[in-house]
Structure formats: structure tokens, C-alpha cells
């Protein structure tokens, strides 16, 4: 069985997209682990080997969860100034706003609005913070974060498809994981970029991958592959 899968890891500091190709081959129950990237100029016999799993290509976008949190925290600071006429000067208050922004990001991933009362944010200052999912999406769009994500995914897919690295094997699935992948604007931007590529418009959005578990299993497979005669099985 041959298949290529697009994985998107939307993490805290950056987002990485990578295409993985695997070929179980005839009689193989598990793919071998091949820790390497494919070069379109490399005429490697391994490119057509069976029973292998390899990373075809990858793209890293410098957009992560901390960027989305920072946008919300900056919004809250502006709201304080507009509503109370006060500038946030205390580092403690700034850190508290960042903490609330992180909480707001998580809540807005599943709900259309969020609000919280921050008592004594600064000396003598109580502040009612609030945000909606639409506002959050507009902030991300205006800052160019969504555009950078979409461009990165598009560049990767076009590069992989034009290089012939996966031959006639289609990209059959998209797997999203990482904390920021739960943000609706992020997932819709990524899936929109995928759907815009000819032949990939009907790919389903998968969320079955456990990122932490995958790291542990991957480390175990890599360790096994380093043993004499080991094949990462």
C-alpha cells in the first residue's frame, strides 16, 4: 500500500508542514523508518523502495501559538487604554494579560466569545476583558499570520507535486495536530490552501494524531533503527 500524507504541526513557536510517503510493500505489516528528506535531483533507488517511510519535504512557518496570544494581549492593552484611559506599565499586569490571552485563545477555539473580570489588574484598576472569535480572526488576518500559513502550505505542496518526489502516489490525507491547530481560523486557512491545489480539493481534515504519543513512538522507532540490523520495525 502506498500513500502520501500531509502533516501540519501548529506549535507554540512555529508551524511545520511536512509530506510523508510510505509504502508497506508486498507482505510488509509495518513501514521501515527512513530518517531523511528526499531531493528531487537525487536519483535514489530508495525513492521507489517498498516497506519504507520517508519525509519527502517540509516547510516551517514562523507562526505559532505565542503570536496569536500576543495579538490578544495587545488588544486587551488597547481596550484598557480606550475604556479606562490608563496605560499598562506594570510588568505584572502585562504578564497577567498574556495569561488571560492564552486562556481566551483556548476558549475561542470552541466558543464564539470569551470574557473575564480582571480585578486589580494594576493598582486601583479593574478591567473587564472580552473578545469574540470574529475579532480574533480579524486580528490574525490583519497581522498577516493567516496569509503566512497559507503561503507556506501552498509552497510546500506545489514543490512536492512538481518535483515528482512521490511519483504517481496521491496525497491522500491531511493530519492537523498541535495546540494552535484547534484555532478555527488556523485550520480553515490550512485546509483552504490545500483545497486550492488541483486534485486536493476533497481531502478530509484529520485530527486523530496524538502529537505527544507520536514523539515517543518516533523516538523508539529511531532508536530501534540505529541498532545493528535494526529496521525500525
Amino acid at each position: 500500500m502506498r500513500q502520501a500524507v500531509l502533516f501540519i504541526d501548529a506549535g507554540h513557536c512555529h508551524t511545520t508542514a511536512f509530506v510523508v510517503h510510505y509504502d508497506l510493500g508486498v507482505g510488509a505489516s509495518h513501514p521501515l523508518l527512513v530518517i531523511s528528506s528526499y531531493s528531487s535531483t537525487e536519483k535514489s533507488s530508495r525513492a521507489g523502495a517498498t516497506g519504507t517511510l520517508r519525509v519527502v519535504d517540509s516547510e516551517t512557518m514562523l507562526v505559532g501559538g505565542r503570536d496569536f496570544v500576543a495579538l490578544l494581549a495587545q488588544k486587551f492593552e488597547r481596550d484598557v487604554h480606550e475604556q479606562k484611559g490608563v496605560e499598562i506599565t506594570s510588568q505584572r499586569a502585562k504578564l497577567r494579560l498574556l495569561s488571560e490571552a492564552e486562556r481566551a485563545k483556548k476558549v475561542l477555539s470552541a466558543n464564539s466569545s470569551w470574557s473575564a473580570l480582571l480585578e486589580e489588574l494594576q493598582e486601583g484598576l479593574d478591567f473587564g476583558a472580552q473578545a469574540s472569535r470574529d475579532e480574533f480572526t480579524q486580528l490574525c488576518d490583519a497581522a498577516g499570520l493567516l496569509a503566512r500559513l497559507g503561503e507556506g502550505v501552498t509552497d510546500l505542496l506545489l514543490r512536492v507535486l512538481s518535483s515528482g518526489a512521490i511519483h504517481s502516489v496521491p496525497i491522500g490525507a491531511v493530519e492537523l495536530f498541535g495546540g494552535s491547530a484547534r484555532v478555527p481560523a488556523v485550520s480553515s486557512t490550512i485546509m483552504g490552501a490545500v483545497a486550492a491545489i488541483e486534485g486536493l480539493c476533497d481531502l478530509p481534515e484529520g485530527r486523530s494524531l496524538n502529537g505527544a504519543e507520536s514523539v515517543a513512538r518516533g523516538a523508539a522507532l529511531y532508536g530501534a533503527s540505529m541498532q545493528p540490523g535494526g529496521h525500525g520495525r
Side-chain angles (χ1 to χ4, degrees):
M1 179 181 68
R2 289 184 176 184
Q3 189 175 10
V5 179
L6 170 64
F7 291 93
I8 307 288
D9 178 7
H12 179 67
C13 299
H14 57 262
T15 298
T16 302
F18 48 100
V19 175
V20 172
H21 170 273
Y22 64 90
D23 182 356
L24 292 182
V26 179
S29 58
H30 300 285
L32 306 184
L33 184 67
V34 180
I35 309 295
S36 66
S37 296
Y38 178 89
S39 170
S40 60
T41 60
E42 179 187 3
K43 302 301 182 180
S44 171
S45 60
R46 186 172 58 197
T50 60
T52 61
L53 179 152
R54 59 190 172 84
V55 177
V56 178
D57 201 349
S58 65
E59 182 82 19
T60 297
M61 292 78 77
L62 298 179
V63 178
R66 64 180 180 181
D67 300 301
F68 301 116
V69 170
L71 287 178
L72 285 170
Q74 291 163 11
K75 172 196 179 316
F76 297 154
E77 283 198 45
R78 292 194 298 270
D79 290 346
V80 170
H81 180 69
E82 293 172 2
Q83 296 174 22
K84 305 291 186 178
V86 176
E87 294 287 347
I88 298 296
T89 57
S90 165
Q91 288 301 313
R92 174 180 172 277
K94 289 179 180 290
L95 288 174
R96 192 173 174 190
L97 287 179
L98 277 173
S99 178
E100 290 299 328
E102 177 68 42
R103 186 174 292 108
K105 179 176 81 76
K106 293 177 180 178
V107 171
L108 291 175
S109 296
N111 299 274
S112 60
S113 62
W114 168 89
S115 64
L117 176 60
L118 308 182
E119 297 181 343
E120 287 295 316
L121 177 62
Q122 220 167 236
E123 186 176 355
L125 174 65
D126 295 338
F127 171 61
Q130 57 183 357
S132 70
R133 182 185 292 177
D134 288 342
E135 285 179 305
F136 184 29
T137 300
Q138 290 170 9
L139 289 172
C140 297
D141 194 21
L145 301 183
L146 300 180
R148 282 155 59 187
L149 284 176
E151 289 168 2
V153 172
T154 299
D155 290 346
L156 170 64
L157 292 174
L158 291 178
R159 194 164 63 240
V160 169
L161 294 174
S162 64
S163 69
I166 56 177
H167 304 288
S168 60
V169 181
I171 295 176
V174 179
E175 281 288 338
L176 302 178
F177 60 103
S180 296
R182 300 185 184 94
V183 177
V186 171
S187 58
S188 63
T189 296
I190 291 171
M191 294 308 298
V194 173
I197 304 295
E198 184 178 357
L200 303 182
C201 59
D202 296 324
L203 292 185
E205 177 183 329
R207 292 180 179 272
S208 61
L209 190 64
N210 183 315
E213 181 181 292
S214 298
V215 170
R217 289 190 175 188
L221 282 169
Y222 183 70
S225 71
M226 297 295 287
Q227 298 299 314
H231 298 292
R233 288 185 182 280

